[in-house]
Structures are given as structure tokens and as C-alpha cells.
Amino acid sequence: MWSDASVTSRIAVVGAGPSGLYAADALANAGVHVDVLDRLPVPFGLVRYGVAPDHFSIRSVRDTLAHVLERAEVRLLAGVEVGDVDAGADVSVAELLAAYDGVILTYGASRDRHLDVPGEELPGSVAATDLVSWYCGHPDADSAGIEAALAAARSVVVVGVGNVSVDVTRVLTASMERLERTDMPQHVLDALSRSRITDVHVLGRRGPAQATWTTKELKELAELDGVDVLIDPTDLELEPVSAALVESDRVVARNVEVIRSWADHALDTTHRHIHLHFHARPVELHGTDHVESVLVERTTVDDAGAAHGTGETYELPAQLVVRSVGYRGVGLAGVPFDARRNVIPNTDGRVTDESGAVVAGLYVAGWIKRGPTGIIGTNKKDAAATVVSVLADLESATVTTGEGCLELLESRGCTVITHGGWTAIDAAERSLGASRGRDRTTIHDRDALVEASRT
Ligand code: NAP
């Protein structure tokens, strides 16, 4: 809440995820007051709805971010959609620019990318973003679709070898003992406890040297109880470009070493199996009214590191196909957008238009600034860099004396959830968890979240 009336500058941050809250913290450190807006009724963005629930230490970043919301200079305005008011949004970027001394867009890159192969739209073929949303309890998750696909699944294909692919593979194969310690919604735990998945095939379209997962996350796969990681040794052969990468990059060398150490794993039929396939790209999903298998083409990696099909194919059974091929950002009404890179164009965090000119008062930070890369901590540096630009501009700007956009939102009948509402939701989730012997159970239903915010 605002501490006193001696307000000098007032900034709106759009997005209450890690980038937005790190930006708010840096602004508050400089004595600037901040309204943090989020479309969802709750804060924390990808920390709540992207980081895997069984990654307890990464999720604990939430405690740090929660302290930002307790700061006197920072006000949470959740449940507020920024965009085209004529299309149903609560407030536009132009209105925010008029009500604040600056607006920082940190709304992330939450959409999925496509494989563009035949059969991709069959039921049972889902985006990792949707599966992750479901198991994290995102209010917009397609629970019915995901649970129907999960119920049919024995064999799963996960496309992509990044950290999201590892998360998805781990959650689909982990023991209930591990998952029950998380804050996953109860219906998610119930669905996963009924799962009859025996095999998960993970496909890397290039070699093990080009996988983008981090070693710590990769190693966790082999540490799961009752799960064997299997790899065909021929998939580990390195082309000259990959061998050079192993020589020059310590992370790559460690990853390849870990994967090599799994090459002699024997198959235990009583266990679940994670099969790593490299030089393997999906070319078609087969099935009539539901996906049944994936046609995979073997590839080679050229000297520039690009994958090329060899024409040699094989088929993997799959009643669930998860494409984990990266996130992408989308544009926001009234804001310049680089549709090729799926980011908001900017110079040092200052949004620029088509001509390269700076849009006065408009800034960007996080994934929508640089693309979906890096770990949570990367966003702290990124947000701080944008705040340096904001503060430099504020020094030479005329500041407003307005009260931000809350009054406007209330006049439009928008249900705004402030910090008090969030603490009530927080208490309700802890209490729901305690009733089932857990620390917390995520409330996934939007109306239930709004209701909880009022208690
Ligand atoms: P990512 O690291 O970019 O991985 C995407 C994967 O999809 C790559 O293996 C890529 O292969 C593959 N791919 C892309 N297009 C493909 C296609 N058409 N067909 C087949 N494969 C394709 O993205 P991500 O896993 O979504 O992760 C996003 C960011 O979040 C990363 O920075 C990640 O580190 C971070 N994250 C971190 C954690 C953690 O720290 N624990 C957890 C989750 C996410 P190519 O390389 O060949 O393009």
C-alpha cells in the first residue's frame, strides 16, 4: 500500500511474474511507487504456473517475490486485463500511459510453439505449456482435454530436449510419494495417480551435445524412484561439430557424460521407462480420432549445427504426444511487436516503434523483451537493466500526481484483487492443503480464487 502522500513518481508494471516483481523491487529501492497489474487473480506468473511443483527450491523464489508485494511502495492490482478495452480488456496501454509516469510490460511469453507436422491437431497431441498449466493449476488450463489424453496414455512421446521437456517427463513418471509433497491441485494428483503410463520417449532432433537442458535437471531423471532412463548407444555418436562442442563447452561435456553413463542401463520391466532418442525428429502423428503413434525420422547434424533428415524412419507408439519446443510471446494492442522474433522491440528496455524511435514512457522486461530464455534469476538482471532506463528518463520527466488506474478500473466494475485479497487466497490454499496433510493445495478455479480473496 502507499505509505504517504509524498508521491513523486508512479509506474505501472504489467505482469506480476518474476520480471515484473523484480522491476517493482528495483523501482521501490529508488523510492518510486509502483502498481503491479496482472490478468490473473494471483501474482507470481511463471513461478506459480511454470516452475514444476516438485522443484521446491526454485518455487521458493515465491517467498522472495512475496516480500516485494509487502513493500510500502508496491501495490498489487490483480485480476486486471490490460489490452483492447473494446475487446473486453479492463484498461488499455494508452490509458496506463496517461495515468502513470511510465509503464513496464513484463507479461512474458506464455504461448506454445507448433511442430507443423501432419496429425499435430489430433486429440492426445498437446503443448507442454498446456500440460504444465494443468499440473500447476492455472485457471485457464484445459483440464478435461489433458485428463482425457492422460487417461488413454500408456506410451508418451515428448518432443524437445530443453528444461521444460525434463519437467514434463519427470512429472509424468514420478512416484505419487514425490508428487503428493507438492502443491498441485487435488484433481491433478488424482489424475496422475490413475495414470497407466509405462514409457516416455523423449525426442531430440539434434544430438545430445545440442540439448538445451541443464545438467542438474537432466540428472534428476535417473534419480526418480522406480524409473529407468534408457538410451541406445548409437544415438550417442558425435558428429565433428558435436565433438567440438563437447571440447569447448563444459556444460555440454557434462551433459553428454551424464547421458553416456546411462547407456548401459538394463530394462527392468517392473519400472517406468524414459527412453532418450537423439537425431530423431517427428515427421507425422498417426491416428484416426486420437493420436496412436509418431513417425520419427533419423537426422544428422551438419557443420553449422543444423539437423537434416536422412529419410530413415521408425514409429513410436504414443497415446499422448507433448510438444515441448519452446514458448513464444504475443503482441499487445497498441504496442509495437516484432512478429519474427515474438518480442517487443526495444533499446535498453525502452520500447521502440517500426522506425526505431522510442515510445515515450513505455518499457519492457523479461521474456517479452528478450525471448523465452534463461532461468528465473536471469530476469532479475534483465528487469534491473530496464529500471536503469526508467529512472534515467524519470529524472528529466514531468511527473504526474494522479492515483494510477485503480479509480478507472473500479468505475468500470473490474474486480481488482489487491495484496489483502492475495493474502486471503494464500491463507485459503494453506488451509486447504492442511486439511489433506499437505503444506498447500493450489486453488485452480478462477471463481474460487476470487471468492477466497474476499474472505
Ligand atoms: P528450449 O530450451 O528452447 O528447448 C526447446 C527444445 O525444443 C529444444 O530441444 C529444441 O531443439 C526443440 N525444438 C524446437 N523446435 C522443434 C521442432 N520443430 N521439432 C523438434 N524439436 C524442436 O525451451 P524450453 O524447454 O521450453 O525452456 C524455456 C526456457 O525456460 C529455457 O531457458 C529453460 O532453461 C527455462 N526453464 C528452466 C527450468 C529450470 O531451470 N529448472 C525449467 C523449465 C524451463 P533445437 O535446439 O534443435 O532447436
Side-chain angles (χ1 to χ4, degrees):
M1 284 291 161
W2 302 121
S3 56
D4 58 43
S6 62
V7 175
T8 50
S9 307
R10 201 181 298 274
I11 299 290
V13 170
V14 179
S19 301
L21 292 177
Y22 285 134
D25 202 32
L27 287 164
N29 287 343
V32 175
H33 284 179
V34 191
D35 278 356
V36 183
L37 287 74
D38 202 292
R39 168 178 97 72
L40 294 173
V42 288
F44 308 132
L46 220 53
V47 170
R48 183 176 163 106
Y49 293 123
V51 174
D54 64 333
H55 268 173
F56 302 103
S57 73
I58 308 179
R59 273 176 90 88
S60 68
V61 172
R62 175 154 136 172
D63 300 336
T64 311
L65 299 178
H67 289 311
V68 178
L69 292 173
E70 288 162 6
R71 295 192 65 160
E73 301 87 349
V74 178
R75 181 166 62 172
L76 175 70
L77 304 179
V80 176
E81 181 155 0
V82 177
D84 183 352
V85 174
D86 291 337
D90 299 302
V91 64
S92 69
V93 171
E95 287 167 333
L96 292 180
L97 283 168
Y100 293 88
D101 296 305
V103 176
I104 310 181
L105 303 170
T106 67
Y107 62 84
S110 55
R111 295 286 169 81
D112 63 293
R113 292 176 59 215
H114 284 254
L115 295 170
D116 295 325
V117 300
E120 189 173 8
E121 304 309 328
L122 277 167
S125 161
V126 303
T129 48
D130 292 336
L131 187 63
V132 172
S133 288
W134 171 74
Y135 65 58
C136 290
H138 193 295
D140 297 342
D142 171 17
S143 295
I146 296 287
E147 285 169 33
L150 192 63
R154 305 286 183 283
S155 177
V156 180
V157 165
V158 178
V159 182
V161 286
N163 277 333
V164 172
S165 154
V166 180
D167 282 348
V168 161
T169 301
R170 196 181 60 254
V171 168
L172 290 177
T173 51
S175 66
M176 287 315 292
E177 207 182 353
R178 180 182 177 103
L179 299 179
E180 273 162 4
R181 299 205 319 268
T182 70
D183 59 8
M184 284 176 173
Q186 194 58 41
H187 71 282
V188 171
L189 277 183
D190 293 345
L192 287 169
S193 74
R194 291 191 298 270
S195 159
R196 287 175 290 170
I197 291 171
T198 57
D199 295 86
V200 177
H201 298 268
V202 182
L203 307 188
R205 64 176 166 181
R206 299 189 288 163
Q210 284 84 17
T212 51
W213 45 39
T214 42
T215 316
K216 183 170 170 282
E217 277 64 26
L218 174 64
K219 279 166 117 177
E220 270 184 292
L221 291 180
E223 291 160 7
L224 295 170
D225 286 340
V227 177
D228 294 327
V229 185
L230 304 165
I231 170 136
D232 180 339
T234 56
D235 276 2
L236 289 170
E237 286 162 17
L238 301 178
E239 310 82 352
V241 67
S242 305
L245 212 53
V246 169
E247 282 300 310
S248 63
D249 188 320
R250 288 217 322 263
V251 175
V252 171
R254 272 202 301 270
N255 282 348
V256 171
E257 191 189 322
V258 168
I259 297 167
R260 277 200 177 125
S261 73
W262 296 338
D264 61 354
H265 280 185
L267 190 143
D268 180 334
T269 49
T270 64
H271 285 180
R272 280 177 166 167
H273 312 116
I274 297 170
H275 310 259
L276 301 184
H277 304 254
F278 292 99
H279 304 106
R281 72 173 181 200
V283 285
E284 206 164 326
L285 274 56
H286 293 158
T288 42
D289 50 7
H290 193 279
V291 65
E292 289 163 17
S293 65
V294 178
L295 187 67
V296 180
E297 181 180 29
R298 284 198 175 281
T299 66
T300 54
V301 178
D302 69 17
D303 288 347
H308 295 276
T310 61
E312 188 190 335
T313 58
Y314 59 98
E315 195 133 0
L316 290 172
Q319 302 79 36
L320 172 62
V321 175
V322 185
R323 56 178 185 279
S324 180
V325 294
Y327 287 70
R328 78 185 160 89
V330 291
L332 185 62
V335 176
F337 191 67
D338 179 341
R340 197 179 52 82
R341 295 179 53 230
N342 296 319
V343 295
I344 295 176
N346 69 95
T347 305
D348 298 331
R350 295 180 180 92
V351 175
T352 53
D353 66 15
E354 271 174 22
S355 69
V358 167
V359 180
L362 196 55
Y363 304 86
V364 66
W367 275 10
I368 197 62
K369 172 186 177 188
R370 66 174 197 280
T373 59
I375 56 173
I376 301 284
T378 316
N379 297 302
K380 188 170 184 177
K381 260 194 190 161
D382 186 303
T386 293
V387 168
V388 168
S389 296
V390 175
L391 295 177
D393 294 349
L394 281 179
E395 275 188 19
S396 55
T398 313
V399 295
T400 63
T401 52
E403 280 300 312
C405 67
L406 185 56
E407 216 170 282
L408 175 68
L409 292 168
E410 283 172 348
S411 74
R412 288 180 175 164
C414 176
T415 308
V416 182
I417 295 172
T418 58
H419 186 248
W422 158 244
T423 51
I425 293 171
D426 189 36
E429 290 191 333
R430 287 176 196 275
S431 149
L432 186 59
S435 70
R436 290 163 177 153
R438 306 169 73 198
D439 288 343
R440 172 194 295 274
T441 296
T442 299
I443 299 174
H444 69 285
D445 180 73
R446 186 184 294 266
D447 292 342
L449 286 167
V450 173
E451 188 58 36
S453 76
R454 294 182 174 133
T455 53

